[in-house]
Amino acid sequence: MSVSTESLLSEATAAQGEAMCPHRLVLEHVTSRWGVLVLLQLLDRPYRFSELRRAIGRVSEKMLTQTLQTLERDGLVHRDAKPVIPPRVDYSLTDLGREAAERVRGLAEWTARRMDAVQEAREVYDARKGDAGQE
């Protein structure tokens, strides 16, 4: 089995970035597109993989798997694999994950409350940019 140079460089760069600024990497995981949605969804209750994927919507199996693995590695998500047939895997938040998810929920709630102001700012910006382009 051969490993590409690009793959090795990518892994080395990620390891170097994690060593230099580990809190920034965790922040990226928590605030990533799918990380936010996983954390918010798991605040309600534990989910099986397929039902979590349906609840989140529009996430590929690969991206959800990667996101869950990353959050599990960071100690935010607990993966409970039961030795039954068919296999059953449940995902839930750890105490650390619940703490992070509560913070993310605060940001999500603020976004919902302030969306009108954001939309107004966008319209002002777009109008200003449109006027500048006509000169």
Side-chain angles (χ1 to χ4, degrees), residues 34 59-68:
W34 303 116
V59 60
S60 70
E61 189 172 317
K62 178 183 176 182
M63 281 309 306
L64 182 55
T65 298
Q66 288 176 350
T67 300
L68 287 166

Side-chain angles (χ1 to χ4, degrees), residues 2 6 11 13 15 25 35 54 60 72-73 83 87 96-97 110 131-133 135:
S2 67
E6 183 177 303
E11 288 176 21
T13 302
L25 193 58
R54 279 192 303 274
S60 70
E72 182 183 10
R73 181 171 183 257
L96 190 61
W110 174 85
D131 291 343
E135 293 175 6

Side-chain angles (χ1 to χ4, degrees), residues 64-85:
L64 182 55
T65 298
Q66 288 176 350
T67 300
L68 287 166
Q69 288 173 344
T70 299
L71 295 173
E72 182 183 10
R73 181 171 183 257
D74 288 343
L76 305 177
V77 168
H78 174 71
R79 181 180 186 272
D80 183 22
K82 294 175 177 49
V84 295
I85 297 176

